């Protein structure tokens, strides 16, 4: 049984019922005086919506003081859209550490990242020191070169052979000279294991860019994490966790001055039209397309 430590400041409560209305687990009911009370404690998913939605700050849950929460204020949609438009994959970085102030802001933000089913078991492994990054980079690059030229490891050859000459010549194909990286891992049993990782890095990327940092989704880094198990040990990823994806970040060595002009995307607005019978062949195609990955 969970210990919600749910409390209501009866002097602040205005009997609006929003806490009960917004609760996905139907945890609450009301006493004879109209104050919210816990009726089904085990249905709580620890989302703290009751604390967040209360207009007067009358509700405390899990010993959280509502007065310590930030007020929610409206955002400038044009500025947020410009941040989305201006995000670029950064592949040229300054060879220096990001300031401790920015690193701490990035780490502090992570606790607010949403997860499927409110699971909140993500693990974040940072390399936030350039010397550590260089050791990690050297090890990975040496392993790849060795697998391409000496041991001929099939899995490595399949992924990296198109860039064999670049690796042999010492080019940092995987990490692009980035001073830092972040690996996000999730328990293998997490209900939305892969999705949570992508959500987390998407939030991280936009916030990092708002701090003036460059970021890059590192697919080769993800491959390296799968091929070389010692990397997970180096990054102290817990047992039972799978490294989901890798993001590079650091101070930019170049800055972009304008947004790109992308092609239009495919968008459709569904209309009410009823459901027609789907043929066996069409069903088979849809099952295949929906399950191929």
């Amino acid at each position: 049984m969970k210990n919600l430590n749910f409390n209501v400041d009866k002097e602040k409560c205005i009997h609006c019922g929003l806490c009960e209305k917004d609760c996905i687990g139907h945890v609450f009911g009301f006493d004879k005086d109209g104050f919210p009370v816990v009726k089904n404690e085990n249905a709580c998913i620890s989302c703290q919506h009751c604390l967040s939605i209360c207009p007067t700050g009358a509700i405390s849950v899990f010993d959280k003081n509502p007065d310590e929460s930030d007020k929610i204020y409206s955002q400038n949609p044009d500025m947020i859209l410009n941040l989305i438009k201006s995000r670029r994959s950064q592949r040229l970085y300054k060879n220096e550490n990001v300031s401790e102030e920015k690193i701490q802001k990035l780490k502090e933000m992570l606790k607010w990242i949403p997860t499927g089913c409110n699971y909140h078991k993500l693990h974040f492994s940072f390399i936030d020191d350039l010397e550590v990054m260089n050791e990690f980079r050297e090890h990975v690059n040496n392993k790849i070169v060795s697998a391409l030229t000496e041991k001929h490891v099939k899995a490595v050859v399949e992924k990296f052979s198109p860039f064999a000459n670049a690796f042999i010549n010492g080019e940092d194909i995987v990490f692009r000279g980035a001073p830092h990286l972040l690996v996000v891992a999730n328990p293998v049993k997490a209900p939305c294991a892969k999705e949570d990782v992508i959500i987390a890095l998407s939030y991280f990327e936009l916030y990092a860019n708002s701090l003036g940092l460059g970021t890059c989704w590192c697919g080769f880094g993800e491959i390296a994490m799968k091929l070389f198990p010692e990397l997970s040990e180096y990054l102290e990823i817990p047992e039972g966790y799978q490294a989901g994806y890798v993001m590079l970040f650091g101070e930019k060595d170049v800055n972009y001055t304008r947004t790109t002009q992308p092609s239009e995307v495919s968008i459709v607005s569904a209309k009410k039209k009823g459901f027609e019978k789907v043929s066996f062949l069409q069903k088979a195609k849809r099952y295949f397309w929906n399950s191929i990955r």
Side-chain angles (χ1 to χ4, degrees):
M1 179 175 288
K2 293 184 178 181
N3 186 6
L4 272 62
N5 292 329
F6 179 82
N7 290 290
V8 179
D9 186 332
K10 294 184 177 180
E11 293 185 0
K12 291 182 178 181
C13 180
I14 59 174
H15 309 284
C16 64
L18 287 173
C19 54
E20 187 273 339
K21 180 179 180 180
D22 194 54
C23 180
I24 190 173
H26 305 292
V27 172
F28 304 112
F30 298 97
D31 65 16
K32 61 183 179 62
D33 297 317
F35 293 106
V37 292
V38 174
K39 295 289 188 180
N40 187 11
E41 189 171 49
N42 289 332
C44 176
I45 64 169
S46 307
C47 65
Q48 299 184 37
H49 276 214
C50 52
L51 178 146
S52 182
I53 203 169
C54 181
T56 60
I59 288 178
S60 170
V61 66
F62 303 116
D63 292 324
K64 306 292 184 182
N65 183 348
D67 293 335
E68 295 178 2
S69 295
D70 294 340
K71 295 294 184 181
I72 297 175
Y73 53 91
S74 60
Q75 307 295 327
N76 185 318
D78 292 332
M79 292 182 67
I80 292 177
L81 180 58
N82 182 260
L83 177 62
I84 294 170
K85 286 181 176 181
S86 61
R87 185 221 66 85
R88 302 260 62 80
S89 293
Q90 194 79 23
R91 297 184 179 89
L92 294 170
Y93 297 90
K94 293 182 179 179
N95 189 38
E96 63 186 39
N97 282 324
V98 169
S99 71
E100 183 62 26
E101 179 184 6
K102 288 184 180 180
I103 292 290
Q104 287 305 119
K105 285 183 176 181
L106 289 169
K107 291 180 178 179
E108 182 68 17
M109 177 275 299
L110 297 174
K111 67 179 73 171
W112 279 279
I113 286 173
T115 57
C117 303
N118 213 49
Y119 195 68
H120 287 298
K121 301 291 185 181
L122 287 170
H123 175 84
F124 301 93
S125 291
F126 278 83
I127 295 183
D128 50 23
D129 182 89
L130 182 56
E131 289 187 7
V132 179
M133 184 68 198
N134 285 337
E135 180 177 65
F136 192 84
R137 186 190 338 264
E138 182 179 8
H139 177 82
V140 172
N141 287 336
N142 287 343
K143 290 276 289 191
I144 293 173
V145 170
S146 175
L148 289 173
T149 61
E150 298 173 14
K151 298 180 181 179
H152 296 288
V153 178
K154 182 179 179 181
V156 176
V157 172
E158 288 178 350
K159 298 295 184 180
F160 295 114
S161 60
F163 310 94
N165 289 335
F167 277 108
I168 293 169
N169 292 331
E171 292 185 37
D172 187 17
I173 299 297
V174 176
F175 302 111
R176 303 291 180 179
H180 307 305
L181 63 73
L182 169 62
V183 177
V184 184
N186 215 0
V188 294
K189 66 178 182 179
C192 300
K194 294 181 180 179
E195 294 81 358
D196 289 346
V197 168
I198 301 305
I199 291 170
L201 287 176
S202 296
Y203 273 66
F204 177 87
E205 177 181 46
L206 287 178
Y207 186 54
N209 275 263
S210 78
L211 294 173
L213 302 175
T215 56
C216 187
W217 294 79
C218 187
F220 281 160
E222 181 205 15
I223 294 170
M225 292 297 299
K226 291 178 178 178
L227 293 177
F228 310 132
E230 70 272 18
L231 302 184
S232 292
E233 298 301 319
Y234 187 95
L235 293 170
E236 300 181 33
I237 295 174
E239 289 188 9
Y241 276 68
Q242 182 181 65
Y245 213 87
V246 180
M247 181 163 285
L248 310 175
F249 70 98
E251 295 289 352
K252 305 174 184 177
D253 197 38
V254 294
N255 287 289
Y256 300 92
T257 58
R258 59 189 58 81
T259 66
T260 59
Q261 300 177 36
S263 301
E264 295 296 327
V265 297
S266 175
I267 300 174
V268 63
S269 295
K271 297 177 176 60
K272 185 177 181 180
K273 56 188 176 183
F275 286 86
E276 299 177 357
K277 187 175 181 179
V278 180
S279 70
F280 174 80
L281 179 59
Q282 192 63 25
K283 284 183 179 180
K285 288 180 180 178
R286 287 296 176 187
Y287 280 132
F288 175 75
W289 293 329
N290 291 339
S291 63
I292 191 170
R293 290 189 180 181

